[in-house]
Amino acid sequence: MRNRRRRIGDVGEHRWLRTLLDALASVGGGRVLVGPGDDAAVLGPERRPWAVTTDAQREGVHFRAGWMSWPMLGRRAFRVSASDLAAMGANPRAALLALEVPRHLEVRALSAFVRAFAAEGRRHGAPLVGGDVSGGPRFGATVTLLGVLPGRAATRAGARPGDAVFVTGRLGAAAWAIRERRAGRVARIPLPPVRLGAGVTLARLASAMLDVSDGVVQDLGHLCRASRVGAVLEIDRLPLEPACRRLGRPGRLLAATGGEDYELLFTVPPSRLARLERAHLGCRITRIGTIVRGGRVALVDAQDRPVRRGRAGFDHFR
Amino acid sequence: MRNRRRRIGDVGEHRWLRTLLDALASVGGGRVLVGPGDDAAVLGPERRPWAVTTDAQREGVHFRAGWMSWPMLGRRAFRVSASDLAAMGANPRAALLALEVPRHLEVRALSAFVRAFAAEGRRHGAPLVGGDVSGGPRFGATVTLLGVLPGRAATRAGARPGDAVFVTGRLGAAAWAIRERRAGRVARIPLPPVRLGAGVTLARLASAMLDVSDGVVQDLGHLCRASRVGAVLEIDRLPLEPACRRLGRPGRLLAATGGEDYELLFTVPPSRLARLERAHLGCRITRIGTIVRGGRVALVDAQDRPVRRGRAGFDHFR
């Protein structure tokens, strides 16, 4: 009986989602090539599949008013969702925007947001094709992106023991800027990178892939859970933003657990490492670990000693 | 300068949306067969187009907690969006759900909502393939549905003077129930009807179509604006729910302006009326008016006298 009155705040986002998605995952039909629980769903027909993803950005939850201009928020909203498509190896083709708008919001601000969102979408091949507007206490935007898959879809579920773990770009810039802002200091929150080209190329080489939104430690955990494997993550190998590197060990932990990087985290079998080296990705990649048996992500330093992590990444209800 | 500080609450949802959509409407590419401003967008390739729509349902805006059980809210959320696909002549094939969840919400309630949403989707051909969960002050669900078009897409923009105006089913049940609830009386808020089969058939016959969400008067106005025509709407012909019919003239006005009917409003050229009569739709249809030149919707009684309407339908910011 006790369980029947549990609140969402006691259970946590990821645990609740996993329970529910496990129950729903088997229900897809022939047209659902990739179902719930990945960065995006993939829908048949198999010769011309579509990838589709939906993501909310809410004031007070995903960002704070005043930390970014309205045009930057619009561009950011597009890029956060585009990152999910990149992680599947898909190219965006259309965008939809469901807005929650407080009455007191200035028309100019809202228009700036939508225009910047639409311009960013056009720039990356996805015109704004529809949407919805409703009133509400706080500004929020739920973005849906549809994309096409030029090749294979990369899911979270294909990593095998022995595969190498890589990440694109550098980690920690957003976590550092948010920390500074929370401390009352001025810092520019960076726009998420666009890894669409890299995503398409990597989808052909990677055994598993996802984007880093909750922090590389937690997201590697998601990948390991979906692939039923474990991983060793070498914290001293993490490609740090200079601001984090200057902080020493605390900066490495911040980069490992802070989230909002929107870089691609992927695993590559040893047999494909040579092809990976020759691939043109348009961004740096860094090997940060290895897939192993078991179900745990072990964080170790350069001497292979376990590293204690603090907060393990972002959860909306923790 | 005065205009630069205008608030969304001063401008109104429909006017702001129109302004912005007009600016964006020309930007679609070759793959966008129907762009912003219709019930759903339609994306190519032309031989196998997809229809896609996104819609938010928020506590305190679109419904009030306690007016409906959580499973009914889940089914309702699916049907409200399915109605947009029906209005294009599309069949749903996949559903996505972005949830805003307060910490205090019971796990049982949220699970009941999602399970009922997913079951309703499966029943109508659209498994739940993905989603997103974030924290927030009030419960809300943003639904994205993807559908396929077995035939022609019906838009809002094809009505011509002389076309007959029809509506499926009966009007006013939801408006009446919400009025009763607001007055503190118990009344069952009805589930939106499912008009998917009728929508596919009607898309072949109708010159224009949309679903009735804001009230038949206002929605006919949307259709007329998109088609650059006017209409005469005969209020005494409206197919009323018995509860509204018993109220007499106020009941007719309530049914004409109340909204939330999710019936299909469509126009048919005189040359296709005989085919419409022979069509198997699975629901009643009623002729309620005629398309004319000009841009106004004139509400008239059986003696062709103008009828004064009160509130002209739903706007989130009015």
Side-chain angles (χ1 to χ4, degrees), chain B residues 266-316:
Chain B
F266 59 99
T267 58
V268 178
S271 62
R272 293 190 210 139
L273 288 174
R275 277 173 66 199
L276 178 65
E277 220 163 280
R278 291 192 305 269
H280 297 286
L281 299 173
C283 62
R284 64 179 285 170
I285 60 170
T286 308
R287 181 168 178 170
I288 58 171
T290 306
I291 296 296
V292 297
R293 285 178 204 287
R296 274 184 67 241
V297 174
L299 204 59
V300 301
D301 66 12
Q303 283 74 46
D304 230 19
R305 291 177 305 213
V307 174
R308 284 175 148 260
R309 55 186 108 154
R311 187 167 162 274
F314 189 76
D315 188 308
H316 277 284

Side-chain angles (χ1 to χ4, degrees), chain A residues 4-9 13 50 56 58 100-101 103-108 114 132-134 144 317, chain B residues 4-9 13 50 56 58 100-101 103-108 132-134 144 317:
Chain A
R4 298 186 64 189
R5 303 300 300 264
R6 278 181 314 168
R7 314 264 163 183
I8 288 296
E13 174 190 9
W50 285 84
R58 292 182 214 289
E100 179 177 351
V101 181
R103 288 182 60 85
H104 61 78
L105 193 69
E106 281 186 33
V107 171
R108 192 170 48 157
V114 176
D132 179 51
V133 181
S134 64
T144 299
F317 304 106
Chain B
R4 299 187 65 189
R5 303 301 300 262
R6 278 181 315 167
R7 313 265 163 183
I8 288 296
E13 174 190 9
W50 285 85
R58 291 182 215 287
E100 179 177 351
V101 180
R103 289 183 58 87
H104 61 77
L105 192 69
E106 283 187 32
V107 171
R108 192 169 49 159
D132 179 50
V133 181
S134 64
T144 300
F317 305 104

Side-chain angles (χ1 to χ4, degrees), chain A residues 53-163:
Chain A
T53 178
T54 190
D55 250 304
Q57 298 285 309
R58 292 182 214 289
E59 188 179 337
V61 179
H62 302 88
F63 61 87
R64 294 200 195 162
W67 282 12
M68 248 178 275
S69 69
W70 285 95
M72 286 293 272
L73 279 176
R75 294 182 67 190
R76 181 185 150 80
F78 179 85
R79 288 190 176 200
V80 166
S81 284
S83 175
D84 278 330
L85 290 188
M88 300 304 290
N91 279 320
R93 281 294 174 263
L96 293 98
L97 196 51
L99 295 169
E100 179 177 351
V101 181
R103 288 182 60 85
H104 61 78
L105 193 69
E106 281 186 33
V107 171
R108 192 170 48 157
L110 188 56
S111 295
F113 176 91
V114 176
R115 282 177 199 284
F117 176 89
E120 189 74 13
R122 272 198 311 277
R123 197 172 299 133
H124 297 291
L128 179 61
V129 298
D132 179 51
V133 181
S134 64
R138 292 203 284 190
F139 179 76
T142 302
V143 175
T144 299
L145 290 189
L146 283 90
V148 291
L149 281 152
R152 186 181 159 275
T155 71
R156 301 176 171 195
R160 295 290 166 263
D163 289 0

Side-chain angles (χ1 to χ4, degrees), chain B residues 20-93:
Chain B
L20 198 65
L21 293 175
D22 285 350
L24 296 170
S26 59
V27 304
R31 280 173 174 271
V32 183
L33 307 178
V34 178
D38 224 294
D39 292 77
V42 181
L43 306 173
E46 232 162 301
R47 277 193 325 118
R48 289 184 78 99
W50 285 85
V52 57
T53 177
T54 191
D55 248 304
Q57 299 283 310
R58 291 182 215 287
E59 187 179 338
V61 179
H62 301 90
F63 61 86
R64 293 201 194 163
W67 283 11
M68 249 179 274
S69 70
W70 284 96
M72 286 292 272
L73 279 176
R75 296 182 64 190
R76 180 186 152 80
F78 179 85
R79 289 190 176 199
V80 166
S81 283
S83 174
D84 278 330
L85 289 189
M88 300 305 288
N91 280 320
R93 282 292 173 267

